[in-house]
Amino acid sequence: MSKQKKQYYVVVHGRAPGIYNQWFGEGGAANQVTNFPEAIYKGFYTREEAIAWLKELGKDTLSALAPNLLDLLYDSPPASQSENIEELLQNGKVVIHTDGSVFVNPGAGGYAAILRHKAHRKVISGGFQNTTNNRMELMACIEGLKALKQKSSVVIFSDSRYVVDAMTEGWTIKWRANGWIKNDKSKVSNIDLWKKLLDLCGQHNVEFRWIRGHYVDKNNERCDYLAMQAARQPNLQVDTGFINGNSQSQSPLL
């Protein structure tokens, strides 16, 4: 008698926390936990079982290890953004989905961006020998904006709270005004990339929106896959900004 196949794999502590629909293969959960120290993950037959397990772990654990999964603790299902995106495109907006990925943080990493404007679509990806996840999330936004040939009204969708919160809460503006020093007097990480991103945002009208990763959006899933593929390519670029000490911390915290 054949056994029922598990449909959901939840990674709470791994390279990229999230909910995955397969264990093996490209973009599977196994890649996120294999050889990862003290990985926390589990497979489930139903979405309800997966959410029940997350609720047992509790908000404190998820806040520390997988903040992108916190929304699943609430009873309402994630809202689809497809209608909203179509409306943005109809209104002439450029919609950019981005993602960044590394296999070991720091380590080989990749970024990807999918740009859409009306009926046009463009895909960008690239990889670096030694970098961090946060730098790849930033690079995805930077390269997406660099691909624009004229001043545009842009909405960037990212699953990185590191990027989205810094841009929407005005932290980057304060950091720049304070000489890239935070309130606790420590130096901001990834200054080289924040400068590039702010310069590009100054050339366009840019709005950042957070989207839950590894679960609901096909464009985000595609970016995640492309970013991981880019990190696997031979002859990867050198992330000179990382080598020169622009990434002060490997922590996802600001």
Side-chain angles (χ1 to χ4, degrees):
M1 190 171 107
S2 61
K3 294 183 179 180
Q4 181 184 0
K5 184 179 179 181
K6 291 180 179 178
Q7 301 293 321
Y8 300 90
Y9 298 92
V10 184
V11 177
V12 171
H13 192 214
R15 296 181 180 88
I19 293 186
Y20 296 81
N21 296 121
Q22 62 184 40
W23 178 248
F24 294 111
E26 300 292 347
N31 290 332
Q32 313 308 320
V33 299
T34 302
N35 297 324
F36 188 91
E38 300 181 0
I40 300 174
Y41 60 95
K42 193 172 182 179
F44 301 93
Y45 297 107
T46 68
R47 180 177 180 273
E48 289 72 21
E49 290 174 343
I51 294 176
W53 182 65
L54 289 173
K55 288 181 177 180
E56 289 178 4
L57 290 177
K59 293 182 180 179
D60 290 344
T61 298
L62 293 185
S63 295
L65 300 177
N68 58 310
L69 296 178
L70 280 170
D71 289 350
L72 294 176
L73 299 185
Y74 302 94
D75 293 332
S76 57
S80 171
Q81 301 201 37
S82 59
E83 293 183 4
N84 183 33
I85 290 173
E86 291 303 320
E87 183 178 347
L88 292 172
L89 293 171
Q90 290 174 9
N91 290 334
K93 303 276 189 179
V94 176
V95 174
I96 305 178
H97 282 80
T98 66
D99 203 8
S101 178
V102 295
F103 294 110
V104 179
N105 199 23
Y111 67 84
I114 298 176
L115 295 80
R116 297 174 63 193
H117 180 241
K118 297 182 179 178
H120 302 285
R121 185 174 183 269
K122 185 173 185 177
V123 178
I124 297 170
S125 65
F128 290 86
Q129 295 175 14
N130 196 31
T131 188
T132 68
N133 186 75
N134 285 340
R135 289 184 67 80
M136 291 300 92
E137 295 283 5
L138 284 164
M139 187 64 73
C141 298
I142 290 168
E143 293 301 321
L145 290 172
K146 282 173 62 177
L148 300 176
K149 297 180 179 179
Q150 61 186 26
K151 184 173 182 178
S152 305
S153 182
V154 186
V155 180
I156 294 179
F157 288 91
S158 169
D159 64 8
S160 171
R161 286 289 190 187
Y162 174 71
V163 174
V164 175
D165 288 355
M167 297 301 296
T168 59
E169 299 295 330
W171 298 338
T172 51
I173 304 301
K174 294 178 182 178
W175 294 340
R176 184 170 61 181
N178 292 332
W180 299 100
I181 301 297
K182 296 186 288 186
N183 291 337
D184 63 2
K185 306 304 180 183
S186 64
K187 190 176 181 180
V188 173
S189 299
N190 306 314
I191 296 173
D192 59 326
L193 298 184
W194 286 120
K195 287 181 177 179
K196 290 180 181 179
L197 183 57
L198 286 176
D199 287 344
L200 286 165
C201 287
Q203 300 171 27
H204 305 278
N205 298 316
V206 184
E207 176 187 351
F208 286 81
R209 297 188 187 181
W210 180 78
I211 185 170
R212 184 190 305 160
H214 310 292
Y215 195 64
V216 296
D217 187 272
K218 64 180 182 180
N219 291 298
N220 175 264
E221 287 294 302
R222 182 61 178 167
C223 282
D224 177 65
Y225 172 78
L226 292 171
M228 290 192 293
Q229 284 293 95
R232 291 189 173 97
Q233 298 304 307
N235 303 317
L236 293 174
Q237 303 175 65
V238 175
D239 186 351
T240 54
F242 176 74
I243 292 175
N244 293 334
N246 279 281
S247 181
Q248 302 297 314
S249 171
Q250 308 313 322
S251 168
L253 301 178
L254 294 171

